[in-house]
Amino acid sequence: MKVTLLYKDREWGTEKSYFDKEEICRDLNLDILFKTAGGFCEEEEEGKAVKVAKERDNYVVEMTKRVMLVPLLSREEVHYRQQMVKEAVTNYDWMEELYRTAKEAGEEVARFAADKKKRGYGSGTDQGRRQVANIAYLERIVHYLDRLETVFRNWQERFVTKEAAAFAQEFLAEYNPEYQECLHKVVKDIRSSTADGVVEVAAALGPGLSMTGLVLCDIREPEVVKTGFFRNAAGKIGGFCRSLFVDETKTIEGENQNLLQDIGAIKNVVLGAMMRFFEPFLEEKEIFFKQLYLQTAFLMGAANLYRRVHRIGVDFCFPEITERENFSFEGLTELSLAIYNLRCPVDNTLSAEGKHLVIVTGANQGGKSTYLRSIGIAQVMLQCGMYVPAKSFASGLYQNIFTHFTRREDSAMNSGRLDEELGRMERIVDNLTKDSILFLNESFATTTEKEGSVIAEDITRALYERGVRVMMVTHLMAFAKRCYEKGLAHALFLSAERQEDGVRTFRMIKREPEFTSYGLDLYDAVIGEEKN
């Protein structure tokens, strides 16, 4: 059986992630989301929200990051993933129970693989120990299958999505009562063969009285004789036989070591044959539990993130997948900022149908970078099938997301900041396709206004002509003004709102670019504070 919690028709494999995934994480503050998904919650303390650290599940952090940075490329894939995320969020207790079982089983599989590698392939007593370990492992795998069966059976009437219900039903159909009973019987027989059970084998005698053609005839529990002499005799004989079968260090009367070694060899051959029969079963279940652990870790992270941020007051919705030219949202907030400040930031609304170039200018400290980051985070969440922090969000799917945010100067940098910016931009352009979306945040502000404007204009013109969607925040006013005056049909110009008294509302409104960022407001505020 395949684990289809992330894709309808396949398991997680070698899916291609975003080309510049580490830059995306850095520029969009995605690590805050990953860590929150892995184990941070918010609680109230004297009427104020505070961060309360829980034990962080690093595997959930890792898998949330890994899955979020692989884009889904069709409406069908996004819809299916959304339904599984919805199930995890709605039936959180089920998700928690399923993940806990998958985690224990996945760790058991990893631990056994590591132990098996250490043990290697010995002989004699080493082989016996290896067989005992293999049997114990088989029992644990069956135990976790039983636990999964219980989880799905207990929840099968409470699923809210048909996708999750179908997955549960498929497991219950495969691991049905008849199969379960048969598997338990076989495991019990194998276990009894190492204890006080009866193992019947048949063999032919070859040259030198060596045994050939060994055949396992039967495994059964010991016969119990209830009365008198036969009970005592059976106990003595049974004990003697068990000492031969189980403990190879004991000797038979006359210290016939050759016979003892032959009996030990028979035991190892029989157990080895039985366990080889189960090798395909175990290999299949190892893959199953590895996939279940990985896939439930992402869903667990998605549910954790939702629950912890929803308590702050952030609205969430499952976004609509549209054509790329139909881009709009209502009530969008910047999720990493909400988590960091433990309160819901100012939200924004946009309708940009038919516009694939959006240029944002306006007052310093007006929320422009936060606005750009909020869109980038939402697009990443949309493309991995998650909810987004908005009342509504509609966007197309992009094969790649690129970010180019201004960097603080690095003391180890061998070249100037402009060279570094141009180097990053060159790498982006070399890998940019029409089905990409590019977020530019104050790019080329490290040089003069004139030089930066020329560079920005050349790049945006080329991208505009190719139809690449570009979301851009800039302080290069001459560049923004020239773009506006060209009357570009597919360009939209926004500005960070500033009231007459200088108050920033942190909302972006449609407005012609101005030739000022109102830096004097900040100057007056800083100098005024110092004077006071």
Side-chain angles (χ1 to χ4, degrees):
M1 176 181 175
K2 291 183 178 181
V3 181
T4 53
L5 294 173
L6 299 185
Y7 297 95
K8 182 178 181 179
D9 55 354
R10 70 182 191 277
E11 295 182 320
W12 180 269
T14 56
E15 283 73 17
K16 186 177 180 182
S17 61
Y18 295 114
F19 171 78
D20 240 356
K21 58 184 179 182
E22 294 305 325
E23 294 295 315
I24 295 173
C25 291
R26 180 176 179 178
D27 291 337
L28 301 182
N29 291 342
L30 294 182
D31 282 341
I32 294 179
L33 277 64
F34 305 147
K35 291 177 182 178
T36 303
F40 275 93
C41 64
E42 290 73 42
E43 293 182 0
E44 294 293 325
E45 184 180 90
E46 298 180 356
K48 184 177 71 171
V50 295
K51 289 183 180 178
V52 179
K54 290 181 64 178
E55 183 180 356
R56 181 181 297 161
D57 190 323
N58 290 324
Y59 189 76
V60 170
V61 174
E62 179 187 347
M63 290 304 109
T64 302
K65 177 178 180 178
R66 185 173 170 185
V67 176
M68 282 188 67
L69 295 177
V70 172
L72 300 171
L73 301 178
S74 72
R75 285 185 175 88
E76 293 73 21
E77 286 184 339
V78 172
H79 176 75
Y80 185 84
R81 181 80 60 81
Q82 286 178 345
Q83 298 310 300
M84 288 301 185
V85 171
K86 180 180 179 182
E87 193 69 59
V89 169
T90 306
N91 279 325
Y92 184 83
D93 291 341
W94 166 74
M95 189 69 252
E96 198 170 34
E97 190 175 358
L98 179 61
Y99 173 67
R100 185 165 54 248
T101 303
K103 177 182 175 70
E104 292 179 22
E107 290 177 346
E108 180 78 26
V109 167
R111 186 163 49 247
F112 179 77
D115 290 344
K116 186 177 180 181
K117 188 175 181 180
K118 285 182 181 179
R119 288 194 303 268
Y121 294 92
S123 59
T125 303
D126 289 339
Q127 287 185 356
R129 289 173 180 171
R130 186 168 70 248
Q131 299 298 3
V132 170
N134 290 343
I135 293 170
Y137 178 59
L138 174 61
E139 289 178 319
R140 296 297 295 166
I141 291 296
V142 173
H143 165 73
Y144 289 119
L145 289 172
D146 289 343
R147 282 180 55 178
L148 282 181
E149 190 272 341
T150 300
V151 171
F152 286 128
R153 177 166 40 80
N154 290 343
W155 283 88
Q156 60 182 332
E157 301 299 329
R158 291 182 276 180
F159 289 118
V160 298
T161 66
K162 62 181 181 180
E163 289 79 4
F167 177 72
Q169 192 57 45
E170 183 181 359
F171 179 86
L172 292 173
E174 180 168 314
Y175 199 64
N176 55 64
E178 293 77 16
Y179 182 86
Q180 189 177 19
E181 181 181 359
C182 179
L183 189 57
H184 276 265
K185 174 66 168 59
V186 173
V187 171
K188 183 179 180 182
D189 287 345
I190 293 176
R191 172 54 68 185
S192 71
S193 72
T194 65
D196 51 2
V198 177
V199 179
E200 291 184 1
V201 296
L205 293 178
L209 297 181
S210 62
M211 290 180 293
T212 62
L214 191 67
V215 176
L216 176 62
C217 299
D218 189 22
I219 302 174
R220 63 180 184 274
E221 295 183 35
E223 297 176 2
V224 179
V225 182
K226 296 184 179 180
T227 59
F229 169 79
F230 294 102
R231 178 183 59 193
N232 296 331
K236 292 178 181 179
I237 295 172
F240 174 71
C241 292
R242 285 195 298 276
S243 72
L244 298 182
F245 193 75
V246 178
D247 191 347
E248 300 172 24
T249 64
K250 294 184 178 179
T251 61
I252 306 172
E253 287 186 29
E255 298 183 353
N256 191 336
Q257 293 294 333
N258 291 334
L259 179 58
L260 182 61
Q261 291 174 1
D262 287 344
I263 293 174
I266 293 173
K267 182 192 76 170
N268 287 330
V269 168
V270 171
L271 290 177
M274 288 188 292
M275 292 310 300
R276 280 196 298 275
F277 176 79
F278 275 95
E279 283 179 359
F281 169 84
L282 289 174
E283 289 173 359
E284 177 187 322
K285 298 313 174 190
E286 286 170 7
I287 295 172
F288 174 83
F289 280 118
K290 285 179 182 178
Q291 282 287 330
L292 189 67
Y293 187 19
L294 184 156
Q295 296 184 36
T296 55
F298 167 74
L299 294 175
M300 192 74 238
N304 285 341
L305 182 62
Y306 179 94
R307 285 166 62 90
R308 289 159 191 164
V309 180
H310 189 65
R311 293 178 61 181
I312 301 172
V314 174
D315 288 318
F316 285 108
C317 72
F318 282 103
E320 178 187 357
I321 309 303
T322 65
E323 298 301 322
R324 293 193 187 110
E325 59 267 18
N326 298 327
F327 180 67
S328 63
F329 54 79
E330 179 184 359
L332 176 66
T333 61
E334 208 274 62
L335 193 55
S336 69
L337 187 62
I339 295 170
Y340 185 79
N341 290 331
L342 291 178
R343 64 175 182 267
C344 188
V346 173
D347 60 74
N348 270 278
T349 297
L350 176 68
S351 178
E353 284 80 359
K355 311 292 186 182
H356 56 255
L357 173 60
V358 177
I359 298 178
V360 185
T361 58
N364 286 319
Q365 301 298 313
K368 300 186 297 299
S369 296
T370 298
Y371 176 75
L372 188 69
R373 195 178 296 112
S374 71
I375 300 173
I377 292 173
Q379 189 67 37
V380 170
M381 297 180 77
L382 176 151
Q383 297 199 169
C384 74
M386 293 176 72
Y387 41 77
V388 299
K391 294 178 180 177
S392 67
F393 193 93
S395 178
L397 298 175
Y398 297 88
Q399 187 173 4
N400 242 314
I401 294 175
F402 292 94
T403 59
H404 189 277
F405 282 43
T406 188
R407 294 272 188 264
R408 292 183 178 180
E409 186 141 16
D410 187 340
S411 59
M413 194 178 293
N414 294 323
S415 57
R417 292 184 66 186
L418 180 59
D419 288 345
E420 186 270 339
E421 283 195 275
L422 291 173
R424 280 194 288 130
M425 180 58 69
E426 182 180 20
R427 188 173 66 252
I428 290 173
V429 171
D430 287 344
N431 292 276
L432 201 66
T433 59
K434 190 174 181 179
D435 55 356
S436 300
I437 183 170
L438 173 61
F439 295 90
L440 302 175
N441 184 39
E442 299 184 14
S443 299
F444 316 117
T446 56
T447 184
T448 64
E449 166 86 11
K450 181 178 180 181
E451 187 176 35
S453 293
V454 171
I455 296 171
E457 188 170 0
D458 287 344
I459 291 174
T460 54
R461 182 176 66 250
L463 296 176
Y464 180 85
E465 291 173 356
R466 292 184 62 184
V468 176
R469 178 172 291 280
V470 177
M471 312 290 295
M472 184 176 190
V473 166
T474 184
H475 285 297
L476 300 173
M477 300 305 173
F479 153 74
K481 197 74 173 177
R482 283 199 298 270
C483 288
Y484 181 82
E485 290 171 351
K486 290 179 181 178
L488 302 174
H490 302 292
L492 179 65
F493 295 85
L494 305 176
S495 180
E497 186 178 36
R498 172 187 176 277
Q499 297 178 348
E500 291 184 3
D501 58 1
V503 172
R504 274 73 166 160
T505 66
F506 305 111
R507 297 190 185 277
M508 304 302 120
I509 59 176
K510 293 182 180 180
R511 178 183 290 173
E512 177 182 351
E514 301 178 86
F515 277 111
T516 178
S517 295
Y518 298 97
L520 289 177
D521 290 350
L522 301 180
Y523 175 82
D524 290 340
V526 172
I527 298 302
E529 289 180 1
E530 291 182 353
K531 287 181 178 180
N532 293 333

